[in-house]
Amino acid sequence: MTDELSALRAELDEVDRALVDLLARRAALVGLVWQLKEAQGLAMRDLVREATMYAGLLARAEAAGLDGERVRAVFERIVGVDLLARRRDG
């Protein structure tokens, strides 16, 4: 393996660790949102909010040179996992 490849892999590992940290932060915030919604008697899902979130993420992704639909798919998966965890953990 070349030094260049090793360096790139190390950088990818660093980015992946940062993504895990951000996912943990997001999960904690989602938990707080759910607690607040439950206390206020609000629905767990807000489809208008989700649509707005996805539109903003798609625009941001495209501005960063990424495929917006791929980024949307990633976030749909993240939200889906959060919803499954909510149903499982109650």
Side-chain angles (χ1 to χ4, degrees):
M1 183 171 3
T2 66
D3 289 341
E4 182 180 14
L5 181 57
S6 292
L8 289 171
R9 286 181 172 168
E11 193 169 346
L12 280 171
D13 290 343
E14 184 179 324
V15 169
D16 290 342
R17 286 189 297 273
L19 285 170
V20 169
D21 292 344
L22 289 170
L23 287 170
R25 181 176 167 198
R26 187 183 192 287
L29 289 167
V30 165
L32 293 173
V33 166
W34 283 340
Q35 287 176 4
L36 190 58
K37 284 182 167 187
E38 189 171 45
Q40 295 179 0
L42 300 172
M44 285 298 120
R45 290 194 78 176
D46 180 342
L47 297 180
V48 172
R49 161 73 177 132
E50 286 181 32
T52 301
M53 179 190 77
Y54 290 135
L57 291 169
L58 190 133
R60 185 175 179 95
E62 290 174 351
L66 298 171
D67 181 328
E69 288 303 320
R70 284 185 179 181
V71 170
R72 180 186 173 98
V74 168
F75 276 91
E76 285 176 344
R77 181 70 176 142
I78 291 168
V79 170
V81 168
D82 287 340
L83 290 168
L84 286 174
R86 173 69 182 169
R87 287 184 190 119
R88 183 194 66 219
D89 300 339

